[in-house]
Amino acid sequence: MKQQTVAVFAHPISYIPMDIDGVLDFYQSNIRGQVDLKDSKNGRYLHGDDPMAGITNYYNTESVFNYYEELKPLKERLEEGANHIWQKVWNYDTQVKITQAWINEAKKDGVQQFHHHANCMMCGTVYLNVTEGDALVFERPGISNPTTPSLEDEPNAERPNEYGYDFHKDMAIIPVHNGDCLFWPPYLRHGYYNTPTEGRVSLSFNLMPTEFGSFYNPFGY
């Protein structure tokens, strides 16, 4: 049979190269190893360790950009890139701004459990220190939990599609390099396995629109 297929309702993962000159050095000199970081307003710790996963995070409950004026130029570059994707690729007329931003450092063979982000409409990560073989892995939306019985008829992810389509794949592996900045919708689950880098460092962030549509809605809904 002859057929044509159009990729509709896609789940975009976009990439923009980012200037990160000096950011890794600033992190290593001013943030790394500060296990007693606290927010002065509420006393909440701004540092966390997951020894089992081999990951340390800084400012994962806040925004690192609120604490270091030296990182302001990076924030501006990230928001510029995010708004390019938001408006030119995702086709919104509004703008987005960073609401949360944190830094993760992973030991060699560290694992980031698969998760998605809440309380945002766009996610991003810029890579400060990775090596050959590092990647961010995304799950296909709607994939069944292998430990949970399902009535769904799952597609065969192992059999190559004769037309070259990858819609059926369980995972999408996105290789990453220093300075790469990825943007994606927050509902996409993502993580990584066994990083080859000793001291893999990334800065992740969530974004929200500065406004939601117009103030006045003439249609009454």
Side-chain angles (χ1 to χ4, degrees):
M1 293 184 180
K2 293 183 178 181
Q3 53 81 45
Q4 293 182 343
T5 299
V6 179
V8 298
F9 306 123
H11 308 276
I13 301 170
S14 300
Y15 148 84
I16 291 180
M18 198 65 57
D19 177 10
I20 59 168
D21 186 44
V23 178
L24 180 63
D25 289 341
F26 181 84
Y27 160 73
Q28 292 174 334
S29 300
N30 297 276
I31 302 175
R32 187 178 191 272
Q34 296 190 40
V35 298
D36 57 345
L37 289 172
K38 282 188 178 181
D39 186 288
S40 59
K41 294 180 180 179
N42 55 32
R44 183 163 47 184
Y45 279 100
L46 303 174
H47 161 274
D49 275 308
D50 186 344
M52 294 293 293
I55 291 180
T56 299
N57 58 64
Y58 301 91
Y59 298 94
N60 66 324
T61 59
E62 301 290 334
S63 174
V64 66
F65 296 123
N66 293 339
Y67 294 83
Y68 300 96
E69 187 70 19
E70 296 87 344
L71 294 177
K72 182 179 179 181
L74 176 63
K75 179 184 179 184
E76 293 173 350
R77 293 193 293 271
L78 294 175
E79 288 185 333
E80 180 183 11
N83 277 293
H84 175 82
I85 301 299
W86 182 254
Q87 295 171 340
K88 302 299 184 183
V89 179
W90 295 13
N91 233 47
Y92 286 97
D93 293 325
T94 54
Q95 288 190 325
V96 290
K97 65 177 182 179
I98 292 174
T99 55
Q100 294 171 292
W102 61 99
I103 296 175
N104 287 336
E105 179 172 343
K107 297 179 180 179
K108 188 177 185 298
D109 297 323
V111 175
Q112 176 65 275
Q113 66 178 353
F114 278 75
H115 63 284
H116 67 273
H117 294 195
N119 197 29
C120 63
M121 290 187 66
M122 177 185 253
C123 300
T125 294
V126 60
Y127 292 90
L128 306 180
N129 189 49
V130 291
T131 55
E132 188 67 30
D134 263 314
L136 188 61
V137 182
F138 290 86
E139 281 189 352
R140 171 170 52 85
I143 187 173
S144 297
N145 186 328
T147 63
T148 304
S150 173
L151 295 178
E152 297 178 17
D153 185 15
E154 292 286 347
N156 185 345
E158 302 300 322
R159 176 170 56 83
N161 183 276
E162 62 181 290
Y163 297 107
Y165 303 136
D166 287 332
F167 306 143
H168 61 289
K169 295 292 187 182
D170 289 343
M171 301 283 183
I173 300 174
I174 310 297
V176 294
H177 308 87
N178 291 333
D180 286 355
C181 189
L182 300 183
F183 298 91
W184 66 90
Y187 56 79
L188 288 181
R189 281 171 49 85
H190 55 282
Y192 56 83
Y193 310 100
N194 305 107
T195 175
T197 303
E198 180 60 54
R200 167 180 173 144
V201 180
S202 58
L203 190 155
S204 296
F205 49 98
N206 291 334
L207 305 105
M208 286 287 282
T210 56
E211 60 180 328
F212 287 87
S214 64
F215 173 77
Y216 173 68
N217 188 338
F219 299 104
Y221 56 82

